[in-house]
Amino acid sequence: MKDVWIVDDDRSIRWVLEKALSREGLPFRSFDNALDVQRAIEDDAPSVLVSDVRMPGESGLSLLKKIKAAHPQVPVIVMTAYSDLDTAVQAFQGGAFEYLPKPFDVEQALDLIRRAAAVTEVAPSEDTQVGGEREMLGQAAAMQDVFRAIGRLSQSHVTVLITGESGTGKELVARALHEHSPRKGKPFIAINTAAIPKDLLESELFGHERGSFTGAAATRQGRFQQAEGGTLFLDEIGDMPADLQVRLLRVLQDGEYYRVGGQAPMKSNVRIIAATHQNLDERVRQGMFREDLLHRLNVVRLRLPPLRERREDVPLLMKHFLGKSAAALGGETKVLTASAMQVLQGFGFPGNVRQLENICHWITVMAPGSVVDIADLPPEVRVAESAAVATAGPPPASQGATTTAAAGGVESAAPPTSSPLVSAAPGARALTTASATTTAAPLHDAAGSANGHRPVWQSGLAAALAQAIQQGEKAPGERLTREFEATMIRAALGQTRGRRIEASEWLGWGRNTLTRKIHELGMDGEV
């Protein structure tokens, strides 16, 4: 196997990858700039190139183009700390094998390098930009998957079905797919099929001839004709009437349609992107949606995550929309306190990103000062926070140490009370087996507070420590610390279904830190 080449101006990144490759017995060479790589590749070529994007001098994306021009068979993995949609799309359009946001999990990086060494991908190269008004933001792993999908689909004409709850940004994704496609110079036409009465929807989609029905005083183009050569976005496709589903199926099959009242077939060269918040498979089972149409639309299905599945993106989105609101309304940009941001990150956002944007408008107009605290948040957010606090209220004073210790192993890993990590993870173990309430009494008295007014995880630790001391164990702190960390890791991985990257974000650790702790705690075979 030829060497794996690493190019990054950050010495620590190079060091981490070098150590990982050495451990796996994979040969490598390291560079700190793109120019040295270009000189080296004149005489040799790597099995895989792993490149940063932003470096002094020439960028990683520019290097990607030159490598692909000279050695199209070399797979290139692009790394970047600036994991936005533009970078992802440019990387894939430039022919990148994969896109790796920083900070990354070392095992994930090694897996990508192994796969890249076995497969060569070649993609066309074309740089594009997305306008600020249509910017897509997100650092969460779920959004990075969306960015990757848009990048991979950018040069394709295939039909795409976008699914996701209301307010997740389905039309935004459809526009991005259009703007990064070869059809970007042609029209993008959007229509909400649920917002137009059934009697008018056929004419709206396909147009009509003069005199074809009462009120048809002139020939009218439909959305298909308006979108000719471009993209037609059919939002809420799940609500389309059955007879129009048949007509849409015919267009997708034959590329032809008829205007209402028309006799001559119209040719259609339109890319269809459909979207729905409904479960189309279930609607097919209920007989409310045609199965053959679903198969035609479902060439590529792209799911948008709800905001509650990417809470780490809330601060980024808040900053963006607060700045946007201030500019639009002519006011100052508001800043949230840490406690207010914590409450918002714990909020469920049933309306998703659209609701978050509306909350930013509300704050810009209604918050009295430039610094926004919990009391300045919209009523629905404060009511939800109060309900969450009431639900998670203090444990009964008579609660035994076994119960508090078991709960403590989970709650110790939790952010705000409404975070998903508050509920116990499957298989999460109790921190301690201490069972006598009285064993914690001396410690709680010394602390000067009642167990009912302290977090349950503190009570659990106090009970475990008291029992260890009473049993004569010397210096139990190290053991309890290890058990505490192991419990947090199990809880986080239980909630993220074993996804270490997301678990490390919940715990507030680096991904490499989580991997190291799992190894140090002897949990490799367990998790």
Side-chain angles (χ1 to χ4, degrees), residues 58-385:
E58 190 165 12
S59 74
L61 293 177
S62 176
L63 175 64
L64 170 65
K65 289 183 184 179
K66 293 180 178 179
I67 294 295
K68 282 299 178 182
H71 298 275
Q73 78 284 359
V74 173
V76 180
I77 297 172
V78 172
M79 303 181 293
T80 179
Y82 304 91
S83 45
D84 54 19
L85 174 60
D86 283 348
T87 303
V89 171
Q90 290 184 57
F92 282 117
Q93 289 185 339
F97 175 81
E98 190 53 278
Y99 167 81
L100 186 63
K102 295 179 182 178
F104 52 80
D105 182 80
V106 173
E107 295 303 319
Q108 179 190 15
L110 285 174
D111 180 61
L112 281 177
I113 290 171
R114 293 190 197 97
R115 288 196 288 116
V119 180
T120 299
E121 290 187 356
V122 181
S125 174
E126 180 181 346
D127 286 335
T128 57
Q129 298 292 329
V130 177
E133 284 300 308
R134 296 173 182 171
E135 185 177 7
M136 294 182 64
L137 301 173
Q139 301 288 340
M143 283 306 295
Q144 294 303 309
D145 290 340
V146 173
F147 292 170
R148 288 189 184 93
I150 293 173
R152 293 189 186 282
L153 290 167
S154 61
Q155 295 300 305
S156 171
H157 298 273
V158 299
T159 302
V160 178
L161 176 62
I162 305 171
T163 63
E165 296 177 7
S166 297
T168 50
K170 295 187 287 293
E171 183 171 347
L172 202 63
V173 171
R175 288 184 180 276
L177 286 168
H178 172 75
E179 290 169 354
H180 291 289
S181 77
R183 297 175 179 265
K184 64 182 180 181
K186 298 296 183 178
F188 174 88
I189 302 297
I191 180 172
N192 187 325
T193 58
I196 300 174
K198 175 183 176 181
D199 295 341
L200 299 179
L201 184 56
E202 182 179 16
S203 174
E204 192 72 22
L205 284 171
F206 304 109
H208 61 253
E209 298 288 351
R210 178 183 178 182
S212 57
F213 56 85
T214 303
T219 299
R220 184 181 183 278
Q221 290 186 352
R223 302 293 188 176
F224 270 93
Q225 188 171 358
Q226 293 172 4
E228 182 65 21
T231 301
L232 178 61
F233 175 54
L234 301 175
D235 199 6
E236 300 302 346
I237 191 72
D239 293 307
M240 178 174 280
D243 52 343
L244 288 184
Q245 292 179 30
V246 176
R247 292 206 59 181
L248 176 59
L249 178 63
R250 182 174 296 277
V251 179
L252 292 172
Q253 288 176 335
D254 304 332
E256 293 183 348
Y257 64 93
Y258 290 84
R259 287 177 177 161
V260 176
Q263 302 297 320
M266 306 280 293
K267 288 287 185 181
S268 175
N269 174 23
V270 171
R271 182 189 193 180
I272 297 294
I273 299 177
T276 182
H277 72 281
Q278 302 186 66
N279 186 330
L280 290 188
D281 298 292
E282 181 61 28
R283 289 183 71 80
V284 167
R285 285 191 288 271
Q286 295 171 352
M288 302 177 70
F289 199 84
R290 294 183 63 93
E291 184 175 10
D292 48 4
L293 177 58
L294 175 59
H295 292 322
R296 284 284 180 177
L297 294 173
N298 195 28
V299 178
V300 174
R301 184 178 299 202
L302 186 56
R303 175 186 178 269
L304 293 191
L307 191 53
R308 63 181 176 275
E309 290 183 10
R310 55 183 189 110
R311 296 175 190 269
E312 60 267 49
D313 285 339
V314 170
L316 177 68
L317 293 167
M318 290 294 297
K319 181 179 179 182
H320 172 73
F321 287 124
L322 284 173
K324 187 177 175 182
S325 296
L329 301 172
E332 60 180 341
T333 301
K334 303 296 176 75
V335 178
L336 274 65
T337 64
S339 57
M341 184 62 75
Q342 188 179 51
V343 168
L344 281 165
Q345 284 191 275
F347 183 58
F349 288 104
N352 293 295
V353 178
R354 184 182 297 125
Q355 183 179 16
L356 182 144
E357 183 176 11
N358 291 338
I359 287 174
C360 289
H361 292 323
W362 190 97
I363 289 173
T364 300
V365 174
M366 301 298 291
S370 59
V371 178
V372 179
D373 205 354
I374 295 175
D376 303 317
L377 296 176
E380 66 268 23
V381 178
R382 287 185 279 114
V383 168
E385 170 64 8

Side-chain angles (χ1 to χ4, degrees), residues 42-62:
E42 293 177 359
D43 303 316
D44 195 11
S47 60
V48 181
L49 176 66
V50 184
S51 175
D52 190 23
V53 171
R54 299 195 182 187
M55 299 178 287
E58 190 165 12
S59 74
L61 293 177
S62 176

